[in-house]
Amino acid sequence: MATLSDVAQRAGVTAATVSYVLSGKAQVKNETRARVLQAVEDLGYKPNLLARGLAQGKTFTIAAIVPEITNPYYAEIINEVEHIAGAKDYHILLAMSHGNPKVCAHLLDRFSSRWVDGFLIMGGAANPDLIQSMQQTSKPLVLSVWENDPQMENIPCFDIDFYDAGIQATKHLLNLGHSRIAIILEEPIQHTRFGGFKDAMQKAQVEIVPDYIVSGDSSYTSGFAAAQKLLQINPVPTAIFAANDAMAIGAMEAIHQAGLAIPNDISVIGVDDILLAEHSYPPLTTIRTPRRQLAKLIIQTLLAKIENPELVHVEKSAMLLKPHIIVRSSTTPPKKQIY
Amino acid sequence: MATLSDVAQRAGVTAATVSYVLSGKAQVKNETRARVLQAVEDLGYKPNLLARGLAQGKTFTIAAIVPEITNPYYAEIINEVEHIAGAKDYHILLAMSHGNPKVCAHLLDRFSSRWVDGFLIMGGAANPDLIQSMQQTSKPLVLSVWENDPQMENIPCFDIDFYDAGIQATKHLLNLGHSRIAIILEEPIQHTRFGGFKDAMQKAQVEIVPDYIVSGDSSYTSGFAAAQKLLQINPVPTAIFAANDAMAIGAMEAIHQAGLAIPNDISVIGVDDILLAEHSYPPLTTIRTPRRQLAKLIIQTLLAKIENPELVHVEKSAMLLKPHIIVRSSTTPPKKQIY
DNA sequence: CTGAAAGCGCTTACAG
DNA sequence: CTGAAAGCGCTTACAG
């Protein structure tokens, strides 16, 4: 590979001059500039980003840590992040924490050796201590975690307003006239949406039946099993709020297997709006979480901080993005009961 | 951050000595070594990988290009690749080609500026010209593409034996006694497995009905639509071979919707063994593609080439990994017909 | 066994 | 407008 000096030599100038025409950080006579550019062209010169990084203290690299890239939620976010960062010539160094704080700490440690320009940490694997120590490296950091820790001031933190998702899903069912509403959820990570459920129910003065609260692990299978449990309760609920789409779709299978109709016998609503939701049978009513918008927000914030280090975030609380309901065919008013 | 010289000063030695104790590339008196190590500890010294990279021409970075990280197939592979590479302190620079050769070329261009240690390119976006030009950078390269181009010698190329997947799926249905076998597939990327289907049918002297060949785009929805088409044909096929699991599951939905039973009325088989396959209803019989094994193979080969540049691959052809069948409940012998 | 020195490829005050 | 020089933090022959 041709180097800066090669170019300089060919153009009959010094390396500094070449650097200046390439960076535009100093005036260069038109004629010399042309000669330099020609030499660059002739030699197919590509700057060595390593050397540039060493000299400038900047690497055009962003470390992104997600719990699992096999989780479509994070895959979508990383896809968007890479797209936006790539447009500005930043590269993404990807690593998985598998939700494990130790792994996360180790990754952060290794990344800090690389002089990445900034960190993007998603999911709950980064505990406050870790974040605190990160702060000392003075590298920009943006978080997206389920629970927002009040102690972490000055660190931009974005997430989706899952409480509101819980409210919206529950209200939708209530408005349709349901009162025997069950919920399938995974604690503690879906605790926030559960809060929305409880508050909406309470506000509507509808009783929350303890038996109607069943737990799952966010997987399709667990939704299936949870629904089977619910179907054995007398009276059977007329609506099920599954805290994510995977469980909702699993639940629908169980309901079908039991010979019941959706939505006529039981309404089902999910959260996420995964791809499958639109194509399930029946198409699933769900609360769409704006993942791409979230991705955009976190990466743009990070890039802004990288390019303007003096930019300080003073908001104490995390920014939450509002989800919104997508009404499809899995929900309808309950059948009239004859008592 | 403390630097090498900081450590050297504190230990009362020169930077070279510190470098030697850290790299172990030269003998150092025990006593000095201890002093250096102590200083490293005291200062919390972390080597600057940028500087090291510049000096050694090595970055401990691998560029990985996949068509889509939102595709679970690639997400699983990247997950495994990162795991194995990470254990050897390599980092993964991830980028998406979106199956577009121009994007791919642009990415490769940007990556070459970074002096990455090696390239991993998956999917068909890298055309032979590109690969050829890559070769000139003399950086190790490992491919995993659907079609193996015979011209690319000396480049290790691994993939899954999809032809064999086609053979196995078809044979399974034939062995069960099916003869009215339909296939749903996406051309041209699933052409290889189609070849397996055709050869197996031919060998068994079973007629391939043109109407029984319908195309999809690998998505759940397209499988649904394709099955709907098939159900309108008289006679209806007794078995459907969907070229991937997503389409198989979509097809099963369509069959259910039509009021038919799986596998009693129609058997369905897929390819991939995605997570959902085990939990679909009925659990899907499918051909499991060894993705993790593939991931292991490509990253280990790449690492080996990085660490032993003199290692030359002379095999002309790609290495193919054998898939194997997972028999679940979506396939059974056809119902006895009374003519 | 360890120091002095040059070099990896670039950037950036500083002169002139 | 452009050159000479020092520096980014590390490694690696070369002496001794």
Side-chain angles (χ1 to χ4, degrees):
Chain A
M1 292 276 283
T3 95
L4 235 212
S5 329
D6 294 343
V7 174
Q9 197 176 335
R10 183 173 241 268
V13 295
T14 196
T17 308
V18 178
S19 178
Y20 285 132
V21 351
L22 258 29
S23 70
K25 285 185 185 167
Q27 288 287 330
V28 178
K29 210 202 303 176
N30 270 332
E31 193 242 336
T32 6
R33 175 205 310 291
R35 249 185 312 141
V36 168
L37 259 21
Q38 184 60 246
V40 166
E41 173 95 352
D42 294 348
L43 265 35
Y45 169 73
K46 302 262 175 60
N48 177 337
L49 260 40
L50 267 190
R52 180 179 288 177
L54 188 57
Q56 294 191 136
K58 168 138 201 210
T59 59
F60 278 91
T61 311
I62 289 168
I65 300 181
V66 299
E68 305 289 348
I69 191 64
T70 48
N71 179 331
Y73 179 88
Y74 294 112
E76 272 187 57
I77 289 182
I78 288 296
N79 188 51
E80 187 74 9
V81 161
E82 192 268 345
H83 186 75
I84 294 175
K88 292 195 158 195
D89 275 337
Y90 284 82
H91 282 127
I92 303 298
L93 231 32
L94 177 73
M96 278 61 88
S97 68
H98 302 295
N100 182 336
K102 282 188 185 163
V103 173
C104 192
H106 182 235
L107 289 172
L108 252 18
D109 198 53
R110 286 176 52 208
F111 279 136
S112 68
S113 263
R114 307 203 58 129
W115 285 37
V116 299
D117 292 340
F119 294 88
L120 218 56
I121 307 181
M122 314 202 64
N127 54 51
D129 289 353
L130 216 57
I131 302 299
Q132 214 59 41
S133 70
M134 281 275 53
Q135 279 293 76
Q136 294 172 3
T137 73
S138 77
K139 288 290 176 187
L141 167 63
V142 171
L143 301 174
S144 178
V145 294
W146 300 95
E147 319 134 273
N148 49 322
D149 189 300
Q151 292 172 299
M152 299 192 241
E153 298 186 9
N154 300 330
I155 303 181
C157 177
F158 302 98
D159 209 342
I160 283 159
D161 189 346
F162 286 107
Y163 174 81
D164 192 57
I167 294 272
Q168 286 191 46
T170 312
K171 268 196 178 167
H172 174 70
L173 297 176
L174 288 168
N175 289 344
L176 286 172
H178 291 276
S179 57
R180 300 211 308 265
I181 303 178
I183 182 167
I184 304 175
L185 84 161
E186 176 177 10
E187 290 276 24
I189 66 169
Q190 290 165 348
H191 190 76
T192 318
R193 44 199 106 172
F194 188 34
F197 168 77
K198 285 190 288 193
D199 288 357
M201 291 288 271
Q202 223 155 50
K203 193 169 170 193
Q205 294 181 295
V206 173
E207 187 198 3
I208 300 175
V209 181
D211 281 356
Y212 283 177
I213 304 171
V214 291
S215 62
D217 63 5
S218 292
S219 75
Y220 182 88
T221 339
S222 74
F224 183 82
Q228 284 187 321
K229 263 192 216 161
L230 287 171
L231 293 173
Q232 287 168 3
I233 298 173
N234 192 346
V236 158
T238 61
I240 297 177
F241 169 22
N244 75 353
D245 285 354
M247 292 196 290
I249 294 172
M252 293 208 293
E253 274 305 337
I255 296 168
H256 283 145
Q257 295 248 309
L260 296 175
I262 301 169
N264 290 330
D265 293 320
I266 300 184
S267 287
V268 176
I269 189 168
V271 172
D272 267 354
D273 198 28
I274 60 176
L275 237 122
L276 215 56
E278 189 176 351
H279 301 301
S280 64
Y281 292 92
L284 184 68
T285 295
T286 188
I287 310 297
R288 177 182 292 168
T289 52
R291 282 148 288 176
R292 292 187 54 172
Q293 200 188 328
L294 176 65
K296 219 168 155 175
L297 199 55
I298 58 181
I299 184 65
Q300 285 179 341
T301 303
L302 185 62
L303 291 175
K305 287 194 76 172
I306 289 172
E307 288 165 7
N308 286 64
E310 68 279 9
L311 213 75
V312 178
H313 278 254
V314 289
E315 310 100 76
K316 289 191 187 172
S317 58
M319 283 263 304
L320 296 180
L321 296 181
K322 289 286 172 209
H324 66 278
I325 191 166
I326 307 290
V327 178
R328 297 205 182 92
S329 324
S330 67
T331 50
T332 200
K335 285 194 289 195
K336 301 238 168 58
Q337 307 273 334
I338 299 158
Y339 291 97
Chain B
M1 291 277 282
T3 98
L4 235 212
S5 328
D6 294 342
V7 175
Q9 197 177 334
R10 183 173 240 269
V13 294
T14 194
T17 308
V18 178
S19 179
Y20 284 133
V21 350
L22 259 28
S23 70
K25 286 184 185 166
Q27 288 287 330
V28 177
K29 211 203 303 177
N30 270 331
E31 193 242 336
T32 7
R33 176 206 308 292
R35 249 185 313 142
V36 168
L37 258 22
Q38 183 59 247
V40 166
E41 172 96 352
D42 294 348
L43 266 36
Y45 169 73
K46 304 262 173 62
N48 177 336
L49 261 41
L50 267 188
R52 180 180 289 176
L54 187 57
Q56 293 191 138
K58 170 139 200 209
T59 59
F60 279 91
T61 310
I62 289 168
I65 300 181
V66 300
E68 305 289 348
I69 191 64
T70 47
N71 179 333
Y73 179 89
Y74 294 112
E76 273 185 55
I77 289 182
I78 288 296
N79 187 53
E80 188 75 7
V81 161
E82 192 266 345
H83 185 77
I84 294 175
K88 291 195 160 197
D89 275 338
Y90 284 82
H91 282 127
I92 303 299
L93 232 32
L94 177 73
M96 278 60 91
S97 67
H98 303 293
N100 183 336
K102 281 188 187 163
V103 173
C104 192
H106 180 235
L107 288 173
L108 252 18
D109 199 53
R110 286 175 52 209
F111 279 135
S112 69
S113 263
R114 304 202 59 127
W115 286 35
V116 297
D117 292 339
F119 294 89
L120 218 55
I121 307 181
M122 314 203 62
N127 55 50
D129 289 354
L130 214 58
I131 302 298
Q132 215 59 42
S133 70
M134 280 275 53
Q135 279 294 75
Q136 293 172 3
T137 72
S138 77
K139 287 290 176 189
L141 167 63
V142 171
L143 301 174
S144 177
V145 294
W146 301 94
E147 318 134 274
N148 50 323
D149 190 299
Q151 293 172 298
M152 299 192 240
E153 297 185 10
N154 300 333
I155 303 181
C157 178
F158 302 98
D159 208 344
I160 281 160
D161 188 346
F162 286 106
Y163 174 81
D164 192 57
I167 294 272
Q168 286 191 47
T170 313
K171 268 196 179 167
H172 174 69
L173 297 175
L174 289 167
N175 289 342
L176 286 171
H178 291 276
S179 56
R180 300 211 308 265
I181 303 177
I183 182 167
I184 304 175
L185 84 164
E186 176 177 10
E187 289 277 25
I189 66 169
Q190 290 165 348
H191 191 75
T192 318
R193 46 198 105 174
F194 189 34
F197 169 77
K198 285 190 288 194
D199 288 359
M201 292 289 271
Q202 223 154 50
K203 193 168 169 196
Q205 295 181 295
V206 172
E207 186 198 3
I208 298 175
V209 181
D211 281 355
Y212 283 177
I213 303 171
V214 291
S215 61
D217 63 5
S218 291
S219 74
Y220 181 90
T221 338
S222 74
F224 183 82
Q228 284 187 320
K229 262 191 214 159
L230 288 171
L231 293 173
Q232 287 168 359
I233 299 172
N234 192 345
V236 159
T238 62
I240 297 177
F241 169 22
N244 74 354
D245 285 354
M247 293 196 291
I249 293 173
M252 292 208 293
E253 274 304 339
I255 295 168
H256 284 145
Q257 295 249 308
L260 296 175
I262 302 169
N264 291 330
D265 293 320
I266 300 184
S267 286
V268 176
I269 188 169
V271 172
D272 267 354
D273 197 28
I274 60 176
L275 236 121
L276 214 56
E278 189 177 350
H279 301 301
S280 64
Y281 292 92
L284 185 67
T285 294
T286 188
I287 311 297
R288 176 182 292 168
T289 52
R291 283 150 288 175
R292 291 187 55 172
Q293 199 187 328
L294 176 65
K296 219 168 155 173
L297 200 54
I298 58 181
I299 185 63
Q300 285 178 341
T301 303
L302 186 62
L303 290 175
K305 287 194 75 173
I306 288 172
E307 287 165 8
N308 286 64
E310 69 278 11
L311 212 77
V312 177
H313 278 254
V314 290
E315 313 99 75
K316 290 192 184 169
S317 58
M319 282 262 304
L320 296 179
L321 296 181
K322 290 285 174 209
H324 66 279
I325 190 166
I326 306 290
V327 178
R328 297 205 181 92
S329 323
S330 68
T331 50
T332 201
K335 283 194 290 195
K336 301 234 169 61
Q337 307 273 334
I338 300 158
Y339 292 96

